[in-house]
Amino acid sequence: MSLRRPAFSIITPTYNRAAVLVRAIRSVQAQTLTDYEHLIIDDASTDDTAEQVARLEDPRIRYVRLDRWQGANAARNVGVALARAEWLTFLDSDDEYLPHRLETLRDRIRTSPHPLLLSSFLTIKRGQPRPAINPSRLLSPQELEEALMVHTVLIAGSAITVRRQMLHKVGGFDPSIRRMQDRELLLRLARYCGASLSEEVDWRKHPSKDSI
């Protein structure tokens, strides 16, 4: 593995989702920007996740299997600790990126004054796409906090891209939280930084009953 830092570290926690995980990984492999590492943090799956990942034979994938189930946020924190890139972005194992995701993020980073970027997305329900679009704008820390509190910003875990140092500053994800993990993290980030929102859709959300 090269010691050079990639442009992005993509972090995917997973638990017993081998079939949909492959779809998520394929969407990363289809990126127009290929300078990334993909950390797959397996939260002690009992299915064939390890075998499915190994079959892909992609050196950009860093697969780590935890020896016991710890929950999605603990798995994300393992990925954060191992990440080599300055910028971290997330992809839940049942979601998928659109091909321009990383390229779009790179361009946004060049002009954004904030260390936090939030993406718009499509939620796929019963096979139909439902847009979740945030207007393109910059939010101050106070504006971000207010938008989160009154639910005027549309968020999900795979929408988040953040500078590694900022995520470390707030202590990463809270492993005691089982629901609304993304909103809780963003509220803590809002104490220190604002966010750049984009109306451009760059990923698809596939709701699952077996949320980890």
Side-chain angles (χ1 to χ4, degrees):
M1 180 178 63
S2 172
L3 295 179
R4 187 186 68 84
R5 287 188 176 184
F8 293 98
S9 292
I10 302 163
I11 298 171
T12 297
T14 191
Y15 177 70
N16 285 346
R17 283 183 173 171
V20 293
L21 173 63
V22 171
R23 178 184 65 195
I25 295 172
R26 295 288 191 197
S27 78
V28 173
Q29 293 175 320
Q31 291 299 296
T32 55
L33 189 155
T34 60
D35 185 13
Y36 67 82
E37 63 176 359
H38 192 180
L39 293 109
I40 311 293
I41 312 301
D42 184 350
D43 198 16
S45 294
T46 57
D47 63 2
D48 63 339
T49 291
E51 292 80 1
Q52 292 291 342
V53 174
R55 288 192 189 109
L56 295 172
E57 298 183 337
D58 189 334
R60 295 167 299 184
I61 294 175
R62 299 172 63 192
Y63 173 78
V64 177
R65 187 182 188 280
L66 306 183
D67 59 7
R68 62 180 178 83
W69 183 87
Q70 299 181 43
N73 272 358
R76 290 185 180 101
N77 284 338
V78 170
V80 170
L82 293 173
R84 295 185 296 130
E86 179 181 2
W87 287 91
L88 313 182
T89 192
F90 297 87
L91 177 63
D92 285 354
S93 53
D94 53 347
D95 294 335
E96 58 182 321
Y97 285 167
L98 297 182
H100 63 281
R101 161 75 173 221
L102 297 183
E103 188 172 6
T104 297
L105 287 174
R106 180 198 61 190
D107 294 343
R108 290 176 62 194
I109 286 167
R110 289 171 174 168
T111 60
S112 173
H114 297 308
L116 173 63
L117 288 75
L118 298 177
S119 297
S120 294
F121 55 98
L122 298 175
T123 298
I124 309 301
K125 290 187 176 181
R126 301 182 182 88
Q128 298 299 315
R130 300 185 181 182
I133 310 297
N134 292 304
S136 294
R137 57 178 174 153
L138 298 176
L139 298 180
S140 69
Q142 182 178 349
E143 289 170 333
L144 174 59
E145 182 180 41
E146 291 174 353
L148 291 166
M149 293 297 291
V150 299
H151 295 252
T152 57
V153 59
L154 301 171
I155 60 170
S158 299
I160 297 172
T161 300
V162 62
R163 195 184 293 269
R164 183 176 57 176
Q165 294 91 329
M166 181 57 67
L167 190 54
H168 284 309
K169 185 172 185 175
V170 301
F173 291 85
D174 185 343
S176 70
I177 301 291
R178 300 300 185 203
R179 291 289 183 269
M180 309 293 287
Q181 302 104 317
D182 43 17
R183 191 172 302 276
E184 188 276 337
L185 172 68
L186 291 171
L187 283 169
R188 282 188 284 119
L189 286 168
R191 299 173 188 169
Y192 301 98
C193 71
S196 170
L197 277 58
S198 174
E199 64 189 15
E200 184 170 0
V201 171
D202 62 16
W203 67 283
R204 295 189 188 99
K205 180 177 178 59
H206 296 270
S208 297
K209 295 179 181 179
D210 61 335
S211 173
I212 66 170

